[in-house]
Amino acid sequence: MPRATPLHYLRATLFYAGFYPVTILYSSFCLLVGWALPFRPRFKLFTVLNYFYMIWLRICCGVRFEVSGLENLPRSGAYVVVANHQSEWETLYFQTLVRPQSVVLKQELLKLPFFGWALAMLQPIALDRSQRRGALKQLLTQGRDRLSQQVPVLIFPQGTRVKVGEMGRFNKGGAMLAVDSQVPVVPIVHNAGLYWPGKSFVKFPGTVQVRIGAPLTTVERTVDDVHRESVDWIEQEMREIGA
């Protein structure tokens, strides 16, 4: 990890000086009008903000991104995305990549003023991680509902942010949901933690590598088989991009 300099702190301060006021203002607007919109138009309106985040991050901190395998992302229909989790970056960027989506997240995020309140209107699957059995049942029940509406579900199977250089443990929730609903699994990897380390104020200039794998079929396959194939691909790709 690069050593933070005063310039890095200055650039990060500039980023947040724009990030927080714009988030509060735009989220307030979305909260006022979003209730009147069906889900898909609401998702499009709310996530305009995420495009701003990516542009502002590049301007202030020099963080860019490069995507390969975009042709592997289904253009329509239901599927489950499983991805590694290193940073706040991917939670913002992925809403511009998979559209629309229902993201699996921890309940506490919905309590954040403005941002969390708006996020709650985008039909996330908000789990209480202290109730493991209940959380799995909720994932499968609400996940089936989203997929039946042809809305992709995004899951970070590591469960929490994992530092660069570590793999963490990948749970089987994404594979279970995909096999249960007989929809493909699309694995995605990135190395955002190199440039926006988890819970870090400072960001480092560079280009985040995002790789999208070919969809994995779940027809006539077991959960263990699908899970193993997706995790093997993710771990191999993470090593290749230094994640």
Side-chain angles (χ1 to χ4, degrees):
M1 192 69 62
R3 183 178 179 180
T5 68
L7 180 59
H8 289 127
Y9 281 98
L10 178 61
R11 297 181 77 173
T13 299
L14 178 62
F15 171 74
Y16 284 116
F19 178 93
Y20 286 117
V22 171
T23 296
I24 292 171
L25 289 173
Y26 195 77
S27 297
S28 299
F29 166 71
C30 289
L31 289 168
L32 288 173
V33 304
W35 62 271
L37 298 174
F39 171 68
R40 292 175 189 272
R42 186 190 309 155
F43 187 92
K44 290 181 179 180
L45 174 66
F46 282 32
T47 55
V48 166
L49 186 60
N50 295 61
Y51 292 97
F52 161 76
Y53 290 148
M54 293 299 106
I55 294 170
W56 190 237
L57 183 63
R58 184 178 71 238
I59 291 172
C60 297
C61 302
V63 179
R64 296 169 169 79
F65 61 88
E66 183 177 89
V67 183
S68 60
L70 196 57
E71 68 278 2
N72 291 324
L73 199 64
R75 299 302 177 187
S76 61
Y79 55 95
V80 174
V81 174
V82 292
N84 64 308
H85 197 15
Q86 290 187 338
S87 168
E88 288 86 348
W89 182 89
E90 63 266 20
T91 63
L92 302 176
Y93 170 70
F94 279 11
Q95 287 192 331
T96 71
L97 182 66
V98 181
R99 302 175 61 76
Q101 65 168 255
S102 176
V103 62
V104 179
L105 46 73
K106 56 185 180 181
Q107 259 182 4
E108 305 92 280
L109 290 177
L110 304 187
K111 299 176 182 179
L112 294 174
F114 301 102
F115 180 85
W117 302 338
L119 182 59
M121 297 179 70
L122 296 183
Q123 297 186 12
I125 301 174
L127 304 181
D128 181 356
R129 295 192 298 183
S130 67
Q131 305 292 328
R132 295 189 63 179
R133 290 187 179 180
L136 179 58
K137 182 179 179 180
Q138 181 186 353
L139 169 63
L140 294 176
T141 301
Q142 295 187 15
R144 287 188 205 112
D145 175 68
R146 306 297 191 271
L147 293 170
S148 70
Q149 298 176 48
Q150 303 297 294
V151 175
V153 174
L154 168 63
I155 298 179
F156 297 106
Q158 291 163 306
T160 189
R161 285 184 292 266
V162 177
K163 293 180 180 179
V164 172
E166 299 178 9
M167 284 295 178
R169 177 182 174 275
F170 292 82
N171 67 58
K172 297 181 181 179
M176 292 179 68
L177 175 60
V179 170
D180 177 76
S181 297
Q182 292 288 274
V183 300
V185 170
V186 179
I188 301 179
V189 301
H190 62 87
N191 58 1
L194 293 171
Y195 310 102
W196 184 337
K199 299 182 180 180
S200 172
F201 178 80
V202 170
K203 291 89 175 79
F204 300 98
T207 302
V208 177
Q209 298 293 318
V210 181
R211 294 186 180 181
I212 304 171
L216 309 178
T217 183
T218 58
V219 177
E220 297 183 354
R221 299 183 68 189
T222 66
V223 170
D224 286 344
D225 189 24
V226 173
H227 176 69
R228 187 181 309 111
E229 184 176 1
S230 64
V231 171
D232 285 349
W233 185 89
I234 288 173
E235 291 184 342
Q236 178 182 336
E237 296 295 318
M238 284 178 65
R239 292 187 184 98
E240 287 188 10
I241 60 176

